[in-house]
Amino acid sequence: MAALAEPRPRHYWLYSPGAQASEWPEFSASDIMAIGWDKLDNLASYPNREAIRQALDVEESGGSMRNAVLAVWQFQNEIALGDIVYAKRGRREIVGRGEVTSGGRFEPDRASFRHVRSVKWTHTGSWEHPGDAATKTLTDITTYRDYVEKLEALVTGDVEPGPPLPATPLPSYDRAAFLNEVYLSDTGYDRLRSLLLRKKNVILAGPPGVGKTFAAKRLAYSMLGVKDPSRIQTVQFHQSYSYEDFMMGYRPTETGGFTLAEGAFYRFCEEARADDDDRPYFFIVDEINRGNISKIFGELLMLIEADKRGQELRLVYKNETFSVPANVHIIGMMNTADRSLAVLDYALRRRFGFFEMSPGFGSDGFTRWQQEAGSPTLDRLITAVVDLNRAITNDPALGQGFAIGHSYLTLPAGSDADDAWLYSVVEDELIPLLDEYWFDEPTKAEEWAGKLRSAVA
């Protein structure tokens, strides 16, 4: 038997019943809310936002188009029974409050405003809105708890409890939590955080095993203040990754035609744009130097610059303009030991801050973990790897970018660093890596293989 879905928390919406509430007398008397865009058919017939966009007036563009598409989609698909709607006139007046009592329906016989829902308007009147209200036709204000409470107190005289929190509150995460998990120095964290805030885009570069992917997500958590995966998205670039995957492009349909599909970064930016500008979002790109940067980013190479945030350019595939919101941050990861990769695209290099991640064997966090592990074999192996890294760094054919990262010798919390595990790390991971590094110097590879084996013998 399938498990029942968790009930959706109540949402709160700000709504304009026509320009300057022109339709409010009818809507309030008839216990309905409705939206225009009357050239659209039954909204239930549109499978996604792209289908709505294509059906709207092609002369609409930029922010007006995005707002129109979002309002239509939310009216039909995201408002739910029991949600609370605040009707407004302009930006300074609330004229009503009601509870949604039906799904969306199409009433083609109406002269206008044919897309309708039933609403039990519990309060009608005139209340001065606190500050300036959003100008859009429909806005989900659920996440703005203080704002919702102000409206509830203003109109009803009571403060209803805000939208219920998730069953398990998001765990907090801060600088101290980051330094406890990521083996980076205090000053290193402060510099990395400052760089990301200033440039909006950073690349974590380093050899294998320094925890670049692990650090990227936890850097985002530390800047969010909580472990909130809903504001983080991760993709991985590869040689076949394209602009169509990243931003948008035409995809084949089951009927043999093609439809314009939004890519991962486009959708992420629209989610961030719909949220509060003060709430940061983080887009993480693994193996960022494996993709064809100019092909993937296209016109975004300009828009992602810190001082170009908010500026709009017309998209290749859509008759609309697009900008990268200021609250979107990009974190890329680059493996400096991959011989197969060409020099990083200079256009990308200029737009990103680079942070070099090195093996963290000497960091306070790793030293503390090593002491807690209490393994003489682990201690010997760490000493051998530190010496090995010195030899790799001093090798003109290799260098620091090929050092052995601390992640090779780091177990998940709660695990034991037993000798069998350490032996496997040496035989199955480190020695094959050395054979690759010194493929033209087998004697040197064998010498260091012997030192590592002696450490775990």
Side-chain angles (χ1 to χ4, degrees), residues 131-164:
D132 288 338
T135 57
K136 296 187 296 182
T137 297
L138 190 66
T139 306
D140 187 351
I141 59 174
T142 308
T143 58
Y144 308 105
R145 296 172 62 86
D146 292 343
Y147 178 42
V148 170
E149 289 180 358
K150 285 181 182 179
L151 293 182
E152 288 291 287
L154 178 70
V155 176
T156 70
D158 297 320
V159 178
E160 271 195 11

PDB file of all heavy atoms in Angstrom, residues 131-164:
ATOM      1  N   GLY A 131       3.769  49.473   4.273  1.00  0.00           N
ATOM      2  CA  GLY A 131       4.789  49.639   3.246  1.00  0.00           C
ATOM      3  C   GLY A 131       4.206  49.450   1.862  1.00  0.00           C
ATOM      4  O   GLY A 131       2.994  49.526   1.651  1.00  0.00           O
ATOM      5  N   ASP A 132       5.084  49.190   0.887  1.00  0.00           N
ATOM      6  CA  ASP A 132       4.653  48.998  -0.495  1.00  0.00           C
ATOM      7  C   ASP A 132       4.471  47.518  -0.781  1.00  0.00           C
ATOM      8  O   ASP A 132       5.374  46.710  -0.548  1.00  0.00           O
ATOM      9  CB  ASP A 132       5.686  49.572  -1.468  1.00  0.00           C
ATOM     10  CG  ASP A 132       5.679  51.083  -1.469  1.00  0.00           C
ATOM     11  OD1 ASP A 132       4.654  51.668  -1.077  1.00  0.00           O
ATOM     12  OD2 ASP A 132       6.708  51.684  -1.849  1.00  0.00           O
ATOM     13  N   ALA A 133       3.304  47.159  -1.324  1.00  0.00           N
ATOM     14  CA  ALA A 133       3.043  45.769  -1.687  1.00  0.00           C
ATOM     15  C   ALA A 133       3.664  45.458  -3.037  1.00  0.00           C
ATOM     16  O   ALA A 133       3.961  46.352  -3.835  1.00  0.00           O
ATOM     17  CB  ALA A 133       1.533  45.525  -1.745  1.00  0.00           C
ATOM     18  N   ALA A 134       3.863  44.176  -3.297  1.00  0.00           N
ATOM     19  CA  ALA A 134       4.356  43.743  -4.604  1.00  0.00           C
ATOM     20  C   ALA A 134       3.366  44.148  -5.680  1.00  0.00           C
ATOM     21  O   ALA A 134       2.150  44.160  -5.457  1.00  0.00           O
ATOM     22  CB  ALA A 134       4.569  42.235  -4.609  1.00  0.00           C
ATOM     23  N   THR A 135       3.881  44.465  -6.861  1.00  0.00           N
ATOM     24  CA  THR A 135       3.011  44.937  -7.935  1.00  0.00           C
ATOM     25  C   THR A 135       2.449  43.804  -8.777  1.00  0.00           C
ATOM     26  O   THR A 135       1.566  44.031  -9.595  1.00  0.00           O
ATOM     27  CB  THR A 135       3.781  45.897  -8.860  1.00  0.00           C
ATOM     28  OG1 THR A 135       4.933  45.215  -9.373  1.00  0.00           O
ATOM     29  CG2 THR A 135       4.237  47.133  -8.094  1.00  0.00           C
ATOM     30  N   LYS A 136       2.939  42.601  -8.616  1.00  0.00           N
ATOM     31  CA  LYS A 136       2.496  41.485  -9.455  1.00  0.00           C
ATOM     32  C   LYS A 136       1.043  41.120  -9.172  1.00  0.00           C
ATOM     33  O   LYS A 136       0.500  41.409  -8.101  1.00  0.00           O
ATOM     34  CB  LYS A 136       3.387  40.269  -9.214  1.00  0.00           C
ATOM     35  CG  LYS A 136       4.836  40.465  -9.621  1.00  0.00           C
ATOM     36  CD  LYS A 136       5.623  39.185  -9.516  1.00  0.00           C
ATOM     37  CE  LYS A 136       5.713  38.672  -8.100  1.00  0.00           C
ATOM     38  NZ  LYS A 136       6.525  37.448  -7.994  1.00  0.00           N
ATOM     39  N   THR A 137       0.419  40.440 -10.133  1.00  0.00           N
ATOM     40  CA  THR A 137      -0.964  39.998  -9.975  1.00  0.00           C
ATOM     41  C   THR A 137      -1.096  38.996  -8.834  1.00  0.00           C
ATOM     42  O   THR A 137      -2.058  39.037  -8.063  1.00  0.00           O
ATOM     43  CB  THR A 137      -1.470  39.354 -11.281  1.00  0.00           C
ATOM     44  OG1 THR A 137      -1.461  40.336 -12.314  1.00  0.00           O
ATOM     45  CG2 THR A 137      -2.887  38.809 -11.118  1.00  0.00           C
ATOM     46  N   LEU A 138      -0.120  38.094  -8.704  1.00  0.00           N
ATOM     47  CA  LEU A 138      -0.197  37.028  -7.718  1.00  0.00           C
ATOM     48  C   LEU A 138       1.199  36.790  -7.138  1.00  0.00           C
ATOM     49  O   LEU A 138       2.158  36.616  -7.892  1.00  0.00           O
ATOM     50  CB  LEU A 138      -0.727  35.749  -8.370  1.00  0.00           C
ATOM     51  CG  LEU A 138      -1.088  34.586  -7.447  1.00  0.00           C
ATOM     52  CD1 LEU A 138      -2.276  34.947  -6.558  1.00  0.00           C
ATOM     53  CD2 LEU A 138      -1.410  33.342  -8.271  1.00  0.00           C
ATOM     54  N   THR A 139       1.303  36.791  -5.818  1.00  0.00           N
ATOM     55  CA  THR A 139       2.592  36.596  -5.163  1.00  0.00           C
ATOM     56  C   THR A 139       2.423  35.656  -3.983  1.00  0.00           C
ATOM     57  O   THR A 139       1.563  35.876  -3.122  1.00  0.00           O
ATOM     58  CB  THR A 139       3.173  37.930  -4.654  1.00  0.00           C
ATOM     59  OG1 THR A 139       3.218  38.878  -5.724  1.00  0.00           O
ATOM     60  CG2 THR A 139       4.567  37.732  -4.080  1.00  0.00           C
ATOM     61  N   ASP A 140       3.242  34.608  -3.937  1.00  0.00           N
ATOM     62  CA  ASP A 140       3.254  33.696  -2.792  1.00  0.00           C
ATOM     63  C   ASP A 140       4.097  34.338  -1.694  1.00  0.00           C
ATOM     64  O   ASP A 140       5.304  34.517  -1.842  1.00  0.00           O
ATOM     65  CB  ASP A 140       3.843  32.349  -3.215  1.00  0.00           C
ATOM     66  CG  ASP A 140       3.740  31.292  -2.121  1.00  0.00           C
ATOM     67  OD1 ASP A 140       3.366  31.639  -0.989  1.00  0.00           O
ATOM     68  OD2 ASP A 140       4.034  30.114  -2.401  1.00  0.00           O
ATOM     69  N   ILE A 141       3.479  34.703  -0.584  1.00  0.00           N
ATOM     70  CA  ILE A 141       4.181  35.391   0.508  1.00  0.00           C
ATOM     71  C   ILE A 141       4.395  34.472   1.708  1.00  0.00           C
ATOM     72  O   ILE A 141       4.730  34.930   2.792  1.00  0.00           O
ATOM     73  CB  ILE A 141       3.406  36.655   0.940  1.00  0.00           C
ATOM     74  CG1 ILE A 141       1.988  36.292   1.413  1.00  0.00           C
ATOM     75  CG2 ILE A 141       3.354  37.671  -0.193  1.00  0.00           C
ATOM     76  CD1 ILE A 141       1.215  37.467   1.999  1.00  0.00           C
ATOM     77  N   THR A 142       4.215  33.175   1.507  1.00  0.00           N
ATOM     78  CA  THR A 142       4.249  32.214   2.609  1.00  0.00           C
ATOM     79  C   THR A 142       5.537  32.272   3.408  1.00  0.00           C
ATOM     80  O   THR A 142       5.529  32.183   4.636  1.00  0.00           O
ATOM     81  CB  THR A 142       4.060  30.786   2.065  1.00  0.00           C
ATOM     82  OG1 THR A 142       2.902  30.750   1.240  1.00  0.00           O
ATOM     83  CG2 THR A 142       3.911  29.788   3.190  1.00  0.00           C
ATOM     84  N   THR A 143       6.659  32.404   2.735  1.00  0.00           N
ATOM     85  CA  THR A 143       7.946  32.337   3.439  1.00  0.00           C
ATOM     86  C   THR A 143       8.248  33.584   4.252  1.00  0.00           C
ATOM     87  O   THR A 143       9.143  33.566   5.095  1.00  0.00           O
ATOM     88  CB  THR A 143       9.089  32.107   2.434  1.00  0.00           C
ATOM     89  OG1 THR A 143       9.094  33.168   1.474  1.00  0.00           O
ATOM     90  CG2 THR A 143       8.927  30.770   1.726  1.00  0.00           C
ATOM     91  N   TYR A 144       7.506  34.663   4.038  1.00  0.00           N
ATOM     92  CA  TYR A 144       7.736  35.906   4.779  1.00  0.00           C
ATOM     93  C   TYR A 144       6.846  35.914   6.027  1.00  0.00           C
ATOM     94  O   TYR A 144       5.797  36.563   6.075  1.00  0.00           O
ATOM     95  CB  TYR A 144       7.457  37.110   3.883  1.00  0.00           C
ATOM     96  CG  TYR A 144       8.202  37.050   2.579  1.00  0.00           C
ATOM     97  CD1 TYR A 144       7.561  36.727   1.386  1.00  0.00           C
ATOM     98  CD2 TYR A 144       9.574  37.280   2.541  1.00  0.00           C
ATOM     99  CE1 TYR A 144       8.260  36.654   0.199  1.00  0.00           C
ATOM    100  CE2 TYR A 144      10.276  37.211   1.347  1.00  0.00           C
ATOM    101  CZ  TYR A 144       9.614  36.901   0.185  1.00  0.00           C
ATOM    102  OH  TYR A 144      10.307  36.826  -0.997  1.00  0.00           O
ATOM    103  N   ARG A 145       7.287  35.193   7.029  1.00  0.00           N
ATOM    104  CA  ARG A 145       6.438  34.939   8.196  1.00  0.00           C
ATOM    105  C   ARG A 145       6.033  36.225   8.921  1.00  0.00           C
ATOM    106  O   ARG A 145       4.875  36.388   9.318  1.00  0.00           O
ATOM    107  CB  ARG A 145       7.162  33.980   9.151  1.00  0.00           C
ATOM    108  CG  ARG A 145       7.412  32.593   8.552  1.00  0.00           C
ATOM    109  CD  ARG A 145       8.293  31.744   9.444  1.00  0.00           C
ATOM    110  NE  ARG A 145       7.709  31.492  10.746  1.00  0.00           N
ATOM    111  CZ  ARG A 145       6.870  30.496  11.010  1.00  0.00           C
ATOM    112  NH1 ARG A 145       6.496  29.672  10.053  1.00  0.00           N
ATOM    113  NH2 ARG A 145       6.391  30.324  12.221  1.00  0.00           N
ATOM    114  N   ASP A 146       6.991  37.134   9.102  1.00  0.00           N
ATOM    115  CA  ASP A 146       6.664  38.384   9.797  1.00  0.00           C
ATOM    116  C   ASP A 146       5.637  39.192   9.009  1.00  0.00           C
ATOM    117  O   ASP A 146       4.714  39.792   9.593  1.00  0.00           O
ATOM    118  CB  ASP A 146       7.932  39.216  10.006  1.00  0.00           C
ATOM    119  CG  ASP A 146       8.891  38.578  10.997  1.00  0.00           C
ATOM    120  OD1 ASP A 146       8.450  37.689  11.755  1.00  0.00           O
ATOM    121  OD2 ASP A 146      10.078  38.968  11.007  1.00  0.00           O
ATOM    122  N   TYR A 147       5.773  39.207   7.698  1.00  0.00           N
ATOM    123  CA  TYR A 147       4.846  39.947   6.841  1.00  0.00           C
ATOM    124  C   TYR A 147       3.449  39.348   6.930  1.00  0.00           C
ATOM    125  O   TYR A 147       2.450  40.073   7.066  1.00  0.00           O
ATOM    126  CB  TYR A 147       5.385  39.885   5.414  1.00  0.00           C
ATOM    127  CG  TYR A 147       4.533  40.558   4.358  1.00  0.00           C
ATOM    128  CD1 TYR A 147       3.929  41.794   4.570  1.00  0.00           C
ATOM    129  CD2 TYR A 147       4.359  39.950   3.116  1.00  0.00           C
ATOM    130  CE1 TYR A 147       3.168  42.401   3.584  1.00  0.00           C
ATOM    131  CE2 TYR A 147       3.598  40.551   2.124  1.00  0.00           C
ATOM    132  CZ  TYR A 147       3.009  41.771   2.358  1.00  0.00           C
ATOM    133  OH  TYR A 147       2.254  42.372   1.386  1.00  0.00           O
ATOM    134  N   VAL A 148       3.360  38.005   6.879  1.00  0.00           N
ATOM    135  CA  VAL A 148       2.064  37.335   6.986  1.00  0.00           C
ATOM    136  C   VAL A 148       1.409  37.665   8.321  1.00  0.00           C
ATOM    137  O   VAL A 148       0.200  37.958   8.389  1.00  0.00           O
ATOM    138  CB  VAL A 148       2.225  35.814   6.810  1.00  0.00           C
ATOM    139  CG1 VAL A 148       0.931  35.081   7.170  1.00  0.00           C
ATOM    140  CG2 VAL A 148       2.638  35.478   5.388  1.00  0.00           C
ATOM    141  N   GLU A 149       2.188  37.637   9.386  1.00  0.00           N
ATOM    142  CA  GLU A 149       1.622  37.930  10.700  1.00  0.00           C
ATOM    143  C   GLU A 149       1.112  39.372  10.788  1.00  0.00           C
ATOM    144  O   GLU A 149       0.078  39.648  11.406  1.00  0.00           O
ATOM    145  CB  GLU A 149       2.663  37.661  11.781  1.00  0.00           C
ATOM    146  CG  GLU A 149       2.960  36.174  11.977  1.00  0.00           C
ATOM    147  CD  GLU A 149       4.005  35.913  13.055  1.00  0.00           C
ATOM    148  OE1 GLU A 149       4.518  36.909  13.620  1.00  0.00           O
ATOM    149  OE2 GLU A 149       4.293  34.738  13.314  1.00  0.00           O
ATOM    150  N   LYS A 150       1.831  40.295  10.134  1.00  0.00           N
ATOM    151  CA  LYS A 150       1.368  41.685  10.117  1.00  0.00           C
ATOM    152  C   LYS A 150       0.032  41.805   9.393  1.00  0.00           C
ATOM    153  O   LYS A 150      -0.879  42.517   9.846  1.00  0.00           O
ATOM    154  CB  LYS A 150       2.409  42.574   9.438  1.00  0.00           C
ATOM    155  CG  LYS A 150       3.627  42.868  10.284  1.00  0.00           C
ATOM    156  CD  LYS A 150       4.589  43.771   9.527  1.00  0.00           C
ATOM    157  CE  LYS A 150       5.843  44.048  10.349  1.00  0.00           C
ATOM    158  NZ  LYS A 150       6.807  44.907   9.611  1.00  0.00           N
ATOM    159  N   LEU A 151      -0.108  41.113   8.250  1.00  0.00           N
ATOM    160  CA  LEU A 151      -1.367  41.174   7.511  1.00  0.00           C
ATOM    161  C   LEU A 151      -2.500  40.532   8.298  1.00  0.00           C
ATOM    162  O   LEU A 151      -3.634  41.050   8.315  1.00  0.00           O
ATOM    163  CB  LEU A 151      -1.208  40.491   6.154  1.00  0.00           C
ATOM    164  CG  LEU A 151      -0.282  41.170   5.141  1.00  0.00           C
ATOM    165  CD1 LEU A 151      -0.269  40.391   3.833  1.00  0.00           C
ATOM    166  CD2 LEU A 151      -0.711  42.615   4.900  1.00  0.00           C
ATOM    167  N   GLU A 152      -2.206  39.417   8.953  1.00  0.00           N
ATOM    168  CA  GLU A 152      -3.241  38.759   9.762  1.00  0.00           C
ATOM    169  C   GLU A 152      -3.711  39.671  10.886  1.00  0.00           C
ATOM    170  O   GLU A 152      -4.916  39.791  11.146  1.00  0.00           O
ATOM    171  CB  GLU A 152      -2.692  37.451  10.339  1.00  0.00           C
ATOM    172  CG  GLU A 152      -2.512  36.345   9.314  1.00  0.00           C
ATOM    173  CD  GLU A 152      -3.853  35.841   8.807  1.00  0.00           C
ATOM    174  OE1 GLU A 152      -4.548  35.141   9.571  1.00  0.00           O
ATOM    175  OE2 GLU A 152      -4.219  36.153   7.663  1.00  0.00           O
ATOM    176  N   ALA A 153      -2.753  40.306  11.547  1.00  0.00           N
ATOM    177  CA  ALA A 153      -3.124  41.211  12.645  1.00  0.00           C
ATOM    178  C   ALA A 153      -3.881  42.419  12.111  1.00  0.00           C
ATOM    179  O   ALA A 153      -4.844  42.893  12.728  1.00  0.00           O
ATOM    180  CB  ALA A 153      -1.866  41.654  13.384  1.00  0.00           C
ATOM    181  N   LEU A 154      -3.462  42.931  10.956  1.00  0.00           N
ATOM    182  CA  LEU A 154      -4.092  44.115  10.373  1.00  0.00           C
ATOM    183  C   LEU A 154      -5.550  43.864  10.007  1.00  0.00           C
ATOM    184  O   LEU A 154      -6.437  44.674  10.313  1.00  0.00           O
ATOM    185  CB  LEU A 154      -3.297  44.527   9.129  1.00  0.00           C
ATOM    186  CG  LEU A 154      -3.823  45.722   8.331  1.00  0.00           C
ATOM    187  CD1 LEU A 154      -3.620  46.996   9.115  1.00  0.00           C
ATOM    188  CD2 LEU A 154      -3.122  45.807   6.974  1.00  0.00           C
ATOM    189  N   VAL A 155      -5.825  42.723   9.357  1.00  0.00           N
ATOM    190  CA  VAL A 155      -7.157  42.476   8.806  1.00  0.00           C
ATOM    191  C   VAL A 155      -8.072  41.759   9.794  1.00  0.00           C
ATOM    192  O   VAL A 155      -9.245  42.108   9.929  1.00  0.00           O
ATOM    193  CB  VAL A 155      -7.042  41.665   7.495  1.00  0.00           C
ATOM    194  CG1 VAL A 155      -8.416  41.305   6.948  1.00  0.00           C
ATOM    195  CG2 VAL A 155      -6.249  42.459   6.453  1.00  0.00           C
ATOM    196  N   THR A 156      -7.552  40.764  10.496  1.00  0.00           N
ATOM    197  CA  THR A 156      -8.412  39.954  11.371  1.00  0.00           C
ATOM    198  C   THR A 156      -8.368  40.388  12.821  1.00  0.00           C
ATOM    199  O   THR A 156      -9.246  40.019  13.605  1.00  0.00           O
ATOM    200  CB  THR A 156      -8.000  38.475  11.299  1.00  0.00           C
ATOM    201  OG1 THR A 156      -6.733  38.298  11.946  1.00  0.00           O
ATOM    202  CG2 THR A 156      -7.908  37.995   9.855  1.00  0.00           C
ATOM    203  N   GLY A 157      -7.341  41.150  13.182  1.00  0.00           N
ATOM    204  CA  GLY A 157      -7.201  41.523  14.583  1.00  0.00           C
ATOM    205  C   GLY A 157      -6.493  40.462  15.405  1.00  0.00           C
ATOM    206  O   GLY A 157      -6.164  40.684  16.565  1.00  0.00           O
ATOM    207  N   ASP A 158      -6.265  39.305  14.815  1.00  0.00           N
ATOM    208  CA  ASP A 158      -5.554  38.216  15.487  1.00  0.00           C
ATOM    209  C   ASP A 158      -4.317  37.868  14.668  1.00  0.00           C
ATOM    210  O   ASP A 158      -4.280  38.048  13.458  1.00  0.00           O
ATOM    211  CB  ASP A 158      -6.432  36.967  15.608  1.00  0.00           C
ATOM    212  CG  ASP A 158      -7.657  37.222  16.476  1.00  0.00           C
ATOM    213  OD1 ASP A 158      -7.512  37.909  17.505  1.00  0.00           O
ATOM    214  OD2 ASP A 158      -8.753  36.760  16.098  1.00  0.00           O
ATOM    215  N   VAL A 159      -3.348  37.312  15.357  1.00  0.00           N
ATOM    216  CA  VAL A 159      -2.165  36.818  14.664  1.00  0.00           C
ATOM    217  C   VAL A 159      -2.281  35.315  14.581  1.00  0.00           C
ATOM    218  O   VAL A 159      -2.122  34.614  15.567  1.00  0.00           O
ATOM    219  CB  VAL A 159      -0.865  37.216  15.397  1.00  0.00           C
ATOM    220  CG1 VAL A 159       0.343  36.641  14.675  1.00  0.00           C
ATOM    221  CG2 VAL A 159      -0.751  38.721  15.498  1.00  0.00           C
ATOM    222  N   GLU A 160      -2.626  34.822  13.393  1.00  0.00           N
ATOM    223  CA  GLU A 160      -2.656  33.370  13.217  1.00  0.00           C
ATOM    224  C   GLU A 160      -1.239  32.828  13.285  1.00  0.00           C
ATOM    225  O   GLU A 160      -0.292  33.511  12.922  1.00  0.00           O
ATOM    226  CB  GLU A 160      -3.246  33.012  11.839  1.00  0.00           C
ATOM    227  CG  GLU A 160      -4.725  32.859  11.836  1.00  0.00           C
ATOM    228  CD  GLU A 160      -5.194  32.150  10.572  1.00  0.00           C
ATOM    229  OE1 GLU A 160      -4.336  31.619   9.836  1.00  0.00           O
ATOM    230  OE2 GLU A 160      -6.395  32.111  10.348  1.00  0.00           O
ATOM    231  N   PRO A 161      -1.084  31.588  13.746  1.00  0.00           N
ATOM    232  CA  PRO A 161       0.244  30.991  13.666  1.00  0.00           C
ATOM    233  C   PRO A 161       0.734  31.010  12.222  1.00  0.00           C
ATOM    234  O   PRO A 161      -0.050  30.852  11.294  1.00  0.00           O
ATOM    235  CB  PRO A 161       0.016  29.542  14.143  1.00  0.00           C
ATOM    236  CG  PRO A 161      -1.254  29.615  14.942  1.00  0.00           C
ATOM    237  CD  PRO A 161      -2.081  30.687  14.303  1.00  0.00           C
ATOM    238  N   GLY A 162       2.028  31.269  12.052  1.00  0.00           N
ATOM    239  CA  GLY A 162       2.589  31.284  10.709  1.00  0.00           C
ATOM    240  C   GLY A 162       2.517  29.913  10.086  1.00  0.00           C
ATOM    241  O   GLY A 162       2.120  28.933  10.718  1.00  0.00           O
ATOM    242  N   PRO A 163       2.916  29.800   8.836  1.00  0.00           N
ATOM    243  CA  PRO A 163       2.917  28.499   8.171  1.00  0.00           C
ATOM    244  C   PRO A 163       3.702  27.488   8.991  1.00  0.00           C
ATOM    245  O   PRO A 163       4.772  27.810   9.518  1.00  0.00           O
ATOM    246  CB  PRO A 163       3.636  28.792   6.840  1.00  0.00           C
ATOM    247  CG  PRO A 163       3.469  30.263   6.645  1.00  0.00           C
ATOM    248  CD  PRO A 163       3.451  30.866   7.998  1.00  0.00           C
ATOM    249  N   PRO A 164       3.183  26.293   9.169  1.00  0.00           N
ATOM    250  CA  PRO A 164       3.864  25.318  10.016  1.00  0.00           C
ATOM    251  C   PRO A 164       5.257  25.007   9.520  1.00  0.00           C
ATOM    252  O   PRO A 164       5.507  24.938   8.318  1.00  0.00           O
ATOM    253  CB  PRO A 164       2.956  24.083   9.930  1.00  0.00           C
ATOM    254  CG  PRO A 164       2.157  24.276   8.690  1.00  0.00           C
ATOM    255  CD  PRO A 164       1.988  25.747   8.523  1.00  0.00           C
TER     256      PRO A 164
END
